[in-house]
Amino acid sequence: MNVLVTYPERCVGCRICEQWCSWKHEGQVNPTKARVRVSRIHNKYLNIPVTCMQCVKSPCIAACREGALSKDPETGAIIVSEEACIGCRRCVRACPYGAVAIDKDKRVVLICDLCSGDPQCVAHCRENAIEYVPLAVADRGQRAAYVATVAAQLAEERSIGFSTAGEGGSK
């Protein structure tokens, strides 16, 4: 099974992913109808592509009382039955990543369906800020990113004179 992995450090905020997503699903370039959203943290100069993480336990599906959400057994993507969805937003609140939105016109949820295995956000991202990779590769990448982050934090703490208990103490 493949999953989407995002790399905020690569994202330039062009929002091409949103445009292609809305075009693929709705036949119009309208970022409010995209299943991927780019969030910008202005004071950090950081753009973060936010999309469904295809959670194993899928809290969005568990929260849906109407049975409008299911998981594609082949891709692991969340599938929305627009006929069954009543737009109650329970799945929006249940998503720990903020990846679920509401189509204000249709009053149904918008969740990434991985474009049936050919995610257009990935196909058109020139910066490779979103990749569609096997789950095992994604896990290794997440571990490597975490280790790099911790290493950078430790290096920064040491450069400003931070010391942990027991280091450099008097004898």
Side-chain angles (χ1 to χ4, degrees), residues 21-139:
C21 180
S22 65
W23 180 258
K24 165 75 176 175
H25 291 91
E26 305 298 329
Q28 59 180 296
V29 175
N30 183 346
T32 65
K33 297 189 180 286
R35 279 86 173 142
V36 59
R37 307 284 171 111
V38 176
S39 294
R40 177 147 174 87
I41 301 174
H42 292 281
N43 62 343
K44 300 277 186 186
Y45 304 103
L46 189 62
N47 299 292
I48 303 172
V50 178
T51 188
C52 180
M53 303 299 287
Q54 294 91 40
C55 302
V56 173
K57 293 186 179 182
S58 304
C60 57
I61 293 174
C64 182
R65 294 183 186 168
E66 303 301 318
L69 303 179
S70 61
K71 188 173 272 203
D72 182 313
E74 199 169 303
T75 65
I78 305 299
I79 305 301
V80 178
S81 168
E82 290 187 5
E83 297 78 29
C85 181
I86 62 171
C88 67
R89 300 176 188 260
R90 283 186 187 95
C91 56
V92 174
R93 291 188 296 274
C95 178
Y97 300 102
V100 182
I102 294 283
D103 182 318
K104 291 176 177 65
D105 299 324
K106 293 182 183 178
R107 298 181 191 261
V108 296
V109 295
L110 300 172
I111 301 175
C112 176
D113 62 2
L114 298 172
C115 295
S116 301
D118 184 23
Q120 294 303 292
C121 57
V122 173
H124 296 281
C125 180
R126 290 182 170 205
E127 305 299 325
N128 296 316
I130 305 174
E131 293 181 351
Y132 189 51
V133 299
L135 184 58
V137 172
D139 289 347

